[in-house]
Amino acid sequence: MTKRLPEDPAKKARMLTAAIQLFAEQGYEPTHVDQIAQQAAVSKGLVFKYFTNKEQLYLAALTAANQQFMTVIDRTVWQNSADLSAMIINATRYKIQLQLQFPAEFNLLMTAFVHQQQLPASSQAYVQKMFVANHDLTSELMTPVVALLQFKPGATAADLLEVIGYITNGYIHKIQRYLAAHPEITKIEQMEPLIQDLATKLKLVESGFIQG
Amino acid sequence: MTKRLPEDPAKKARMLTAAIQLFAEQGYEPTHVDQIAQQAAVSKGLVFKYFTNKEQLYLAALTAANQQFMTVIDRTVWQNSADLSAMIINATRYKIQLQLQFPAEFNLLMTAFVHQQQLPASSQAYVQKMFVANHDLTSELMTPVVALLQFKPGATAADLLEVIGYITNGYIHKIQRYLAAHPEITKIEQMEPLIQDLATKLKLVESGFIQG
Amino acid sequence: MTKRLPEDPAKKARMLTAAIQLFAEQGYEPTHVDQIAQQAAVSKGLVFKYFTNKEQLYLAALTAANQQFMTVIDRTVWQNSADLSAMIINATRYKIQLQLQFPAEFNLLMTAFVHQQQLPASSQAYVQKMFVANHDLTSELMTPVVALLQFKPGATAADLLEVIGYITNGYIHKIQRYLAAHPEITKIEQMEPLIQDLATKLKLVESGFIQG
Amino acid sequence: MTKRLPEDPAKKARMLTAAIQLFAEQGYEPTHVDQIAQQAAVSKGLVFKYFTNKEQLYLAALTAANQQFMTVIDRTVWQNSADLSAMIINATRYKIQLQLQFPAEFNLLMTAFVHQQQLPASSQAYVQKMFVANHDLTSELMTPVVALLQFKPGATAADLLEVIGYITNGYIHKIQRYLAAHPEITKIEQMEPLIQDLATKLKLVESGFIQG
DNA sequence: AATGAATGAGCGTTCATTCAT
DNA sequence: AATGAATGAACGCTCATTCAT
């Protein structure tokens, strides 16, 4: 309803791109608005006109990064999988692909949780909500696949999802560290060994590590 | 009566306590030396006399928090366990106890990794080393127990340790969030349901979630 | 109306003027950037934007003061002189004129040597070079005149130049002290007695004080 | 009349020695009371008890350095000279000896004039007076010798004394720079060439540089 | 008398934010 | 709308001075 200010979308996009990259690389405090403006090839004043203050800019960067993934995401990756392990492998492979494609956005979201405490309370709630939504989406996509499984007595779908969540989360961090240490990697194929390793582990979680 | 010492241990302790708490709550950059001095009820000058500069103070806080746990830690918790799950449960219960007893120290160490990039390079190396040492200690304590297990074909002790690492790590964060949201909890007994839940999950990882 | 320039020359000039005056009056350490900003009627931040730090500001003040004289200096004063005494008198009269015209600049340069040891090493080199250049210029201007003189046995042009250097140097200080004590003096004519006195002395040095 | 506080003369002397050396080496501002106390092997508190504040300490150091020379000075050096040049040479040689013997004191007095402006007005007056007294002493010692000279028409004893003052002053600075650059020099004999050079110049001033 | 731990005003410097153009 | 010069609060840190012991 409220008439939006006429904003140049190209400039706004450049600012967000710069913000995403620099906040992801350096964190919240060490990134200066000056830097972002310069990298976006706009004036500092315009950054404040479009985003009010540094905190809002950070939040906008976070939202944009999240949107990036939400827009691009291909749900069929989750849906067209034979079984749970295959699904997770597909999903992980897909995430790595996204990470290779949008490294700055990916990094920003990964570090966002951590920087929450450095932001005013109001922002923290927003970040929180975003992550909950992400988590819910993943659950939603996984639930139908898990529902088909035949669980042992005492085991539940929720338990398995939670455990898988911890493992994949840990693995994503491992991969991120690996990619950061090996910037020459640009193709998903080069990550295949790690993906297969994760597959093995997930299979073992399904069927059990221990003889008996 | 009390002889004035070159370094008053009471004051130094107050400064470290304040530093641990504030760095843990707010992170490195947003915490100001003034704040720490005020909370420790000493002058700003004294903080610099005792710790040279803000970076060293952070490092000292980190070291003190780490020492706290290293000193107090009871290795028998790991060693006197019937099986792997029992061991991890004992360890987790023990960690929760420490977290309840030294919440600020615990939080500081948990966030230290994350703040690494915001610290000068020299500090990063120190933090890194500390965490490697911690990880090595855990591995050392766990290895003998895992060695006794009978693994299924294709499963290895290393795989299991890695997976367990991800799960317990995720669980520790879950518990930390839970405790932060429920400050009324002061006794380990109140956390018993969560611990039992973790136990169930670990058992399932050992034996498998899926029928057949 | 006035276009806002990246560096407002009026402001920069005000800062330099203030810096020259205050550094000259008080020396390097006792002069505070706050003071300079206030006297120049700009914010402290702007001083740093224009001059990076206090040391560079001092150097800029020094350079500006030096430039002032280099630009204004009229070499014909040295060149169109009948003999050595006349030349030195002309030069001295000219220096007094400059001192009356740019007292702060003059004072700053006079005290610069002395403050060298209180400046960071990098600045010392610069100051040193500036003074050597000044000395070289004076020598260059004087050499042709001295070369025409008929020296007594045992006397050399170099000796005479050195002695004259000590005397004029001492005299310049004397005049500077005199002007500082008599701020009502604004015209070179009022200094004529001192100049004539110096002329007499230089003549005596040429021909000798002592009978026989 | 007023009962003096019981002061330990040995400690006071150590403080003054340290103050003289450090103020001479580093100047007023860059020298810290901490440093002086440490070098004097007394507590910082005692320095303030004995000298009230840093400024008074500086003044005391100056006075002590001056006293050092006043006490030690051998007036016969001036008095037992055949003629003016001999007298000045003797005096200069003597000053160099003092400079070698009490380098810190000598340096402090040489730089005092310059640091005057960095001290509060009250101190400046004191320093001023000290230098005037020194000058008067030199004049008093020289006057009888100069009085014996047979001056050319237009030349006066006062003129000659002034000119000689400038030259010797310039020369003392030259020697001081030379000694600072050649710390291996410890004996007056090593300075003899410079002294002879000065002698030559003074003779030339007496009799004139120029033929005819 | 003597100490040196403790203080805090004040320094140089940074950077988010404002505003004249 | 867009700029970037200008601001000033706030930071980390120093050091003359004080005062409990």
Side-chain angles (χ1 to χ4, degrees):
Chain A
M1 293 301 120
T2 54
K3 186 78 174 330
R4 283 254 156 254
L5 285 178
E7 287 186 341
D8 183 332
K11 282 180 184 167
K12 190 164 191 179
R14 287 209 308 275
M15 291 183 212
L16 281 172
T17 305
I20 287 166
Q21 193 197 116
L22 291 168
F23 281 135
E25 274 172 19
Q26 305 175 342
Y28 181 76
E29 288 271 10
T31 299
H32 308 314
V33 177
D34 263 325
Q35 258 177 75
I36 293 171
Q38 194 166 30
Q39 179 146 329
V42 296
S43 72
K44 209 189 333 182
L46 204 61
V47 177
F48 281 93
K49 182 164 266 172
Y50 279 40
F51 298 100
T52 307
N53 60 32
K54 191 181 174 184
E55 187 199 336
Q56 296 299 320
L57 175 57
Y58 180 79
L59 239 31
L62 216 52
T63 309
N66 194 43
Q67 282 296 336
Q68 183 73 267
F69 291 113
M70 287 329 223
T71 308
V72 132
I73 216 161
D74 178 4
R75 294 182 173 221
T76 63
V77 167
W78 274 259
Q79 284 152 358
N80 297 334
S81 301
D83 61 21
L84 184 61
S85 286
M87 178 180 178
I88 297 188
I89 294 310
N90 285 339
T92 305
R93 191 178 285 122
Y94 189 63
K95 278 188 190 172
I96 296 175
Q97 231 158 6
L98 293 174
Q99 193 171 168
L100 286 166
Q101 210 179 342
F102 307 107
E105 285 82 356
F106 200 92
N107 268 290
L108 181 65
L109 293 173
M110 295 286 275
T111 53
F113 244 134
V114 142
H115 294 153
Q116 267 186 90
Q117 58 178 333
Q118 304 196 15
L119 295 172
S122 65
S123 313
Q124 298 187 16
Y126 180 87
V127 174
Q128 195 70 31
K129 229 191 305 193
M130 204 179 75
F131 277 93
V132 169
N134 264 324
H135 186 260
D136 289 351
L137 173 64
T138 311
S139 296
E140 179 202 319
L141 291 167
M142 291 201 140
T143 302
V145 180
V146 177
L148 299 176
L149 295 174
Q150 199 69 6
F151 285 95
K152 284 197 188 162
T156 70
D159 285 345
L160 181 55
L161 280 177
E162 190 179 336
V163 165
I164 286 175
Y166 295 142
I167 297 171
T168 49
N169 183 47
Y171 227 81
I172 289 289
H173 275 98
K174 182 184 183 175
I175 286 167
Q176 198 194 11
R177 272 196 307 273
Y178 189 85
L179 287 177
H182 298 85
E184 73 280 6
I185 293 180
T186 54
K187 288 187 182 154
I188 182 71
E189 289 78 24
Q190 300 172 278
M191 298 302 287
E192 208 54 41
L194 249 69
I195 295 171
Q196 290 309 323
D197 183 55
L198 174 59
T200 307
K201 283 181 182 125
L202 289 173
K203 270 287 168 216
L204 283 167
V205 168
E206 283 185 41
S207 60
F209 278 80
I210 306 304
Q211 201 73 270
Chain B
M1 285 304 117
T2 54
K3 183 80 175 306
R4 196 106 73 86
L5 291 174
E7 287 211 343
D8 184 328
K11 280 179 187 165
K12 189 165 193 178
R14 287 208 309 275
M15 292 184 213
L16 278 173
T17 303
I20 287 167
Q21 194 198 115
L22 291 168
F23 281 135
E25 272 171 21
Q26 307 176 337
Y28 181 75
E29 288 268 14
T31 299
H32 309 312
V33 178
D34 261 328
Q35 250 180 81
I36 293 171
Q38 197 164 26
Q39 177 147 331
V42 295
S43 72
K44 203 185 346 176
L46 202 61
V47 177
F48 284 96
K49 191 171 202 177
Y50 278 45
F51 297 101
T52 307
N53 58 33
K54 191 183 172 183
E55 186 196 339
Q56 296 298 320
L57 174 58
Y58 181 78
L59 237 33
L62 215 53
T63 308
N66 194 44
Q67 280 296 335
Q68 185 71 268
F69 292 115
M70 286 330 221
T71 309
V72 133
I73 216 162
D74 178 4
R75 293 184 173 218
T76 62
V77 167
W78 275 260
Q79 284 152 356
N80 298 335
S81 302
D83 60 24
L84 184 62
S85 286
M87 178 179 179
I88 297 185
I89 294 310
N90 285 340
T92 304
R93 190 179 286 120
Y94 190 62
K95 278 188 191 173
I96 296 176
Q97 230 158 6
L98 293 174
Q99 195 172 162
L100 285 166
Q101 209 179 342
F102 308 108
E105 284 82 355
F106 200 91
N107 267 290
L108 181 64
L109 292 174
M110 294 285 274
T111 53
F113 242 135
V114 140
H115 295 153
Q116 266 187 94
Q117 61 175 329
Q118 303 198 16
L119 292 175
S122 66
S123 311
Q124 297 187 16
Y126 180 88
V127 174
Q128 195 72 30
K129 229 191 309 195
M130 207 178 75
F131 277 93
V132 169
N134 266 323
H135 186 261
D136 289 351
L137 173 63
T138 311
S139 297
E140 180 202 318
L141 290 167
M142 291 201 138
T143 303
V145 180
V146 177
L148 298 176
L149 296 175
Q150 198 69 7
F151 284 94
K152 283 197 187 161
T156 68
D159 284 345
L160 181 55
L161 280 177
E162 190 179 335
V163 164
I164 285 176
Y166 295 143
I167 297 171
T168 49
N169 184 45
Y171 227 80
I172 288 289
H173 276 98
K174 182 184 180 174
I175 286 167
Q176 199 193 10
R177 273 194 307 273
Y178 189 85
L179 287 176
H182 298 85
E184 73 279 7
I185 293 181
T186 52
K187 288 187 182 157
I188 182 70
E189 289 77 24
Q190 301 171 277
M191 298 302 285
E192 208 53 43
L194 250 69
I195 295 170
Q196 289 312 322
D197 184 53
L198 173 60
T200 308
K201 283 178 183 126
L202 288 174
K203 270 288 168 214
L204 284 167
V205 168
E206 284 185 39
S207 59
F209 278 79
I210 306 303
Q211 202 69 268
Chain C
M1 287 303 116
T2 54
K3 183 78 175 308
R4 195 106 71 87
L5 291 174
E7 286 212 341
D8 184 329
K11 280 178 187 164
K12 190 165 191 177
R14 287 210 306 276
M15 293 184 213
L16 278 173
T17 304
I20 287 166
Q21 193 198 113
L22 291 167
F23 282 134
E25 273 171 20
Q26 306 174 340
Y28 182 74
E29 288 268 13
T31 298
H32 309 313
V33 178
D34 261 329
Q35 248 180 84
I36 293 170
Q38 196 162 27
Q39 176 147 332
V42 296
S43 70
K44 207 188 338 181
L46 202 62
V47 177
F48 284 95
K49 192 171 202 177
Y50 279 45
F51 298 101
T52 307
N53 58 34
K54 190 182 174 183
E55 186 196 341
Q56 296 298 319
L57 174 58
Y58 180 79
L59 236 33
L62 215 53
T63 309
N66 195 43
Q67 280 297 334
Q68 185 72 270
F69 292 115
M70 285 331 220
T71 309
V72 133
I73 216 162
D74 178 4
R75 292 183 173 220
T76 62
V77 166
W78 275 259
Q79 285 152 356
N80 298 334
S81 300
D83 60 23
L84 184 63
S85 286
M87 178 179 179
I88 296 186
I89 293 311
N90 284 338
T92 304
R93 189 178 287 121
Y94 190 62
K95 278 189 190 171
I96 295 175
Q97 230 159 4
L98 293 175
Q99 196 171 163
L100 284 167
Q101 209 178 343
F102 310 108
E105 285 81 358
F106 200 91
N107 267 289
L108 181 64
L109 292 173
M110 294 286 274
T111 53
F113 242 134
V114 141
H115 294 153
Q116 268 186 90
Q117 62 175 330
Q118 302 199 17
L119 291 175
S122 66
S123 311
Q124 297 187 15
Y126 180 88
V127 174
Q128 194 73 29
K129 226 188 314 193
M130 206 179 76
F131 277 93
V132 169
N134 266 325
H135 186 260
D136 289 352
L137 173 64
T138 310
S139 296
E140 181 203 316
L141 291 167
M142 290 202 140
T143 303
V145 180
V146 177
L148 298 175
L149 296 175
Q150 200 67 6
F151 285 94
K152 284 195 188 161
T156 69
D159 285 344
L160 180 57
L161 280 177
E162 190 180 335
V163 164
I164 285 175
Y166 295 142
I167 296 171
T168 50
N169 184 47
Y171 227 81
I172 288 290
H173 276 98
K174 180 183 182 176
I175 286 167
Q176 198 192 12
R177 273 194 308 272
Y178 189 85
L179 287 175
H182 298 84
E184 74 280 5
I185 294 181
T186 53
K187 289 188 180 152
I188 182 70
E189 290 77 23
Q190 301 173 277
M191 297 301 286
E192 208 53 41
L194 249 69
I195 294 170
Q196 290 312 324
D197 184 54
L198 173 59
T200 307
K201 283 180 183 124
L202 289 173
K203 271 287 167 213
L204 284 167
V205 168
E206 283 184 42
S207 59
F209 278 79
I210 305 305
Q211 200 71 269
Chain D
M1 292 304 120
T2 55
K3 186 78 173 328
R4 283 255 154 253
L5 284 177
E7 287 186 342
D8 182 330
K11 282 179 185 170
K12 191 164 190 178
R14 287 208 308 277
M15 293 184 212
L16 281 172
T17 304
I20 288 167
Q21 193 197 114
L22 291 167
F23 281 134
E25 274 170 20
Q26 306 175 340
Y28 181 75
E29 288 271 9
T31 299
H32 308 314
V33 178
D34 263 325
Q35 260 178 75
I36 293 170
Q38 195 166 28
Q39 177 146 331
V42 296
S43 71
K44 208 188 335 179
L46 204 62
V47 177
F48 282 92
K49 183 163 264 170
Y50 278 40
F51 297 99
T52 307
N53 60 31
K54 190 181 174 183
E55 188 198 335
Q56 295 299 321
L57 174 58
Y58 180 80
L59 238 32
L62 216 53
T63 309
N66 195 44
Q67 281 297 335
Q68 182 72 269
F69 291 113
M70 287 330 222
T71 309
V72 130
I73 216 162
D74 178 5
R75 296 183 171 218
T76 62
V77 167
W78 276 258
Q79 286 152 355
N80 299 335
S81 303
D83 60 23
L84 183 62
S85 285
M87 179 180 179
I88 295 188
I89 293 311
N90 285 340
T92 304
R93 190 177 286 120
Y94 189 62
K95 278 189 189 172
I96 296 176
Q97 230 158 5
L98 291 174
Q99 193 171 168
L100 287 167
Q101 208 179 344
F102 308 108
E105 284 82 356
F106 199 92
N107 268 290
L108 182 64
L109 292 173
M110 294 287 274
T111 54
F113 243 134
V114 141
H115 293 154
Q116 266 186 91
Q117 58 178 332
Q118 303 196 16
L119 295 173
S122 65
S123 312
Q124 297 187 18
Y126 179 87
V127 174
Q128 195 71 31
K129 228 188 310 191
M130 205 180 76
F131 277 92
V132 169
N134 265 323
H135 187 260
D136 289 352
L137 172 63
T138 311
S139 297
E140 179 203 317
L141 290 167
M142 290 200 140
T143 303
V145 181
V146 177
L148 299 175
L149 296 174
Q150 198 69 4
F151 286 94
K152 283 194 189 166
T156 69
D159 285 343
L160 181 56
L161 279 177
E162 191 178 336
V163 164
I164 285 175
Y166 295 143
I167 297 171
T168 50
N169 183 47
Y171 227 81
I172 288 290
H173 275 97
K174 181 183 182 175
I175 286 167
Q176 196 194 14
R177 272 196 308 273
Y178 189 85
L179 288 176
H182 299 84
E184 74 279 6
I185 294 180
T186 52
K187 287 183 181 157
I188 182 71
E189 289 78 23
Q190 300 171 278
M191 298 301 286
E192 207 53 41
L194 249 70
I195 295 170
Q196 289 312 323
D197 184 55
L198 173 60
T200 307
K201 283 179 183 124
L202 289 173
K203 271 285 168 215
L204 283 166
V205 168
E206 284 185 38
S207 59
F209 279 80
I210 306 305
Q211 202 71 270

